[in-house]
Amino acid sequence: MSSAYRPYRSIDRRTCRQIMVGNVPVGGDAPISVQTMTNSLTTDVAATRAQIDAAAEAGADIVRVSCPDEASTVALKEICAGSPVPIVADIHFHYRRAIEAAAAGAACLRINPGNIGNEDRVREVIKAARDHGCSMRIGVNAGSLEKHLLEKYAEPCPEALVESALDHARILQDNDFHEFKISVKASDVFLAVAAYQQLADAIDCPLHIGITEAGGLRAGTIKSAIGLGNLLWAGIGDTVRVSLSADPTEEVKAAYEMLKSLGLRRRGVTVISCPSCARQQFDVIKTVEVIEDRLAHIDLPISVSIIGCVVNGPGEARETDIGLTGGGKDTHQIYVSGMADHRLSNGDIVEHVVEMVEAKAEAIRAAQVAEASDLQTPIKMKA
């Protein structure tokens, strides 16, 4: 039985070994890292760098870049050199692209067992990864399984995905290469979750989790949340990508919201708000929409409750850093650290809350700077 204060909130993460993707630890006791992928032409260095910078600003720990041709791996050298986060080179079909990407500075090589080629080619990729200090990801996909596995199982199934992954892992292990992680993705939530559950029991390497080809922003986020939520809640997953037909920064935002909901990582402002009803004393929906947009630049974990009336407002405010509860006659209650602090009459709700959150963020940063300074100050010994 868990000894946690609230055991029903405890998630026991699967035990696995740790690898490095550049300077980002993946697996072991490291935080679950967030990934996305650029969708610009890799040969357009400026556009690709802009997407990487935006993703990093949104909180991405790792960014994947497709390398479909030699021109892309040539461009990758410049992209990697100026990237604020480690770059994973996405390789399909042409194993030589993986060798070129390793030399170009990729931190990790993602190869697909279903289309990368025979074991001799994989060994050449392993040598390149070892020579250039790259890790690797075995990326199994239900849409591109090896022909012999489709013949054996008749269709993509959990057993087929796991067998593909383990067969490829064996090649890496036989060549004494252990800096790898695995993914077994499918667009079918049931198939993906079952495959990851089986794989989690079969090998001790880190797992990159995702629901592939999940769909557009809304549908894809919901679909991913169902699949990834199940896995994360079960302690499975060391690095995550939410695959959406949307801007890469939306993938990062969606991933963080999932991790925040499970208490696995906290980044940025978390807004707790009511759906609104006839009891609301201000326009909750519009207020929340504007506040979330205005506070998107804050990366510190601060919680805010925006509740339209006193039914649940005080109770929700007890659990947040800053709270707003709607009151009659345009007079609303403001809470700080769960306690009633002051009332706001005829004021601009959005501006007031934004200013309070920004002030709290500044105070937190100042405290962090002071603490870091204290740690660096030499201790004077008495004579």
Side-chain angles (χ1 to χ4, degrees):
M1 184 175 179
S2 175
S3 60
Y5 176 63
R6 295 185 177 97
Y8 58 88
R9 289 185 178 178
S10 296
I11 292 177
D12 295 321
R13 285 182 60 189
R14 162 182 168 268
T15 301
C16 73
R17 55 190 171 81
Q18 187 176 97
I19 69 167
M20 298 297 295
V21 176
N23 61 355
V24 176
V26 176
D29 59 356
I32 297 170
S33 54
V34 172
Q35 300 192 31
T36 186
M37 185 174 181
T38 57
N39 54 32
S40 57
L41 288 174
T42 305
T43 49
D44 187 340
V45 173
T48 304
R49 286 275 297 276
Q51 285 197 354
I52 293 170
D53 290 344
E57 181 68 22
D61 301 297
I62 300 167
V63 175
R64 182 156 47 116
V65 176
S66 182
C67 294
D69 49 41
E70 188 173 1
S72 296
T73 55
V74 170
L76 190 69
K77 185 173 183 178
E78 185 176 353
I79 291 168
C80 290
S83 175
V85 294
I87 298 299
V88 176
D90 191 62
I91 309 297
H92 292 274
F93 301 111
H94 303 291
Y95 76 103
R96 291 192 182 278
R97 301 292 85 82
I99 297 171
E100 294 161 2
C108 181
L109 306 175
R110 187 272 191 182
I111 58 175
N112 187 329
N115 57 38
I116 196 65
N118 59 37
E119 290 191 20
D120 290 337
R121 291 181 174 181
V122 175
R123 289 190 190 97
E124 290 193 49
V125 175
I126 294 171
K127 183 179 185 303
R130 181 178 285 116
D131 289 346
H132 295 281
C134 298
S135 56
M136 292 176 65
R137 170 156 75 94
I138 299 169
V140 179
N141 195 301
S144 55
L145 275 171
E146 296 96 313
K147 183 178 178 181
H148 75 276
L149 291 174
L150 289 175
E151 291 175 349
K152 177 178 179 179
Y153 292 100
E155 64 175 4
C157 62
E159 291 75 16
L161 269 66
V162 172
E163 184 171 332
S164 174
L166 295 180
D167 283 349
H168 213 66
R170 175 188 50 78
I171 299 173
L172 272 58
Q173 292 167 327
D174 287 349
N175 285 271
D176 198 28
F177 188 88
H178 306 282
E179 287 288 305
F180 67 87
K181 53 185 174 172
I182 301 180
S183 64
V184 281
K185 295 185 179 182
S187 59
D188 180 283
V189 172
F190 296 95
L191 174 55
V193 170
Y196 276 113
Q197 289 171 335
Q198 291 185 22
L199 185 63
D201 291 333
I203 196 167
D204 72 341
C205 71
L207 299 184
H208 169 111
I209 61 172
I211 305 298
T212 194
E213 286 102 32
L217 180 57
R218 177 180 295 182
T221 298
I222 293 171
K223 186 175 183 180
S224 296
I226 294 170
L228 299 181
N230 268 282
L231 292 170
L232 291 168
W233 203 329
I236 297 171
D238 303 289
T239 184
V240 58
R241 180 198 176 190
V242 178
S243 299
L244 303 174
S245 301
D247 187 281
T249 58
E250 296 295 340
E251 297 187 348
V252 178
K253 294 174 186 176
Y256 267 104
E257 289 302 322
M258 293 178 199
L259 294 172
K260 284 158 64 176
S261 295
L262 291 169
L264 292 168
R265 281 190 77 173
R266 292 192 65 196
R267 182 184 192 278
V269 176
T270 298
V271 177
I272 296 169
S273 61
C274 64
S276 80
C277 70
R279 293 190 303 269
Q280 66 180 353
Q281 299 299 313
F282 58 89
D283 188 338
V284 172
I285 293 174
K286 183 63 176 178
T287 299
V288 170
E289 179 184 346
V290 178
I291 284 177
E292 285 186 331
D293 182 64
R294 291 281 303 278
L295 297 177
H297 65 288
I298 294 179
D299 58 3
L300 292 168
I302 298 174
S303 57
V304 178
S305 57
I306 306 293
I307 310 296
C309 76
V310 297
V311 171
N312 292 318
E316 293 293 352
R318 281 197 298 268
E319 306 297 324
T320 55
D321 296 312
I322 294 170
L324 165 67
T325 294
K329 299 180 181 180
D330 293 325
T331 300
H332 314 300
Q333 182 68 54
I334 303 294
Y335 298 80
V336 176
S337 299
M339 303 296 292
D341 188 78
H342 61 276
R343 298 183 72 81
L344 176 65
S345 300
N346 300 318
D348 187 321
I349 293 174
V350 170
E351 287 299 327
H352 194 74
V353 172
V354 168
E355 288 176 5
M356 290 186 68
V357 174
E358 289 180 335
K360 183 171 182 63
E362 288 182 14
I364 293 172
R365 291 194 191 283
Q368 291 174 339
V369 170
E371 182 180 3
S373 178
D374 289 343
L375 290 174
Q376 293 173 5
T377 302
I379 299 174
K380 293 182 179 180
M381 301 297 291
K382 292 182 178 180

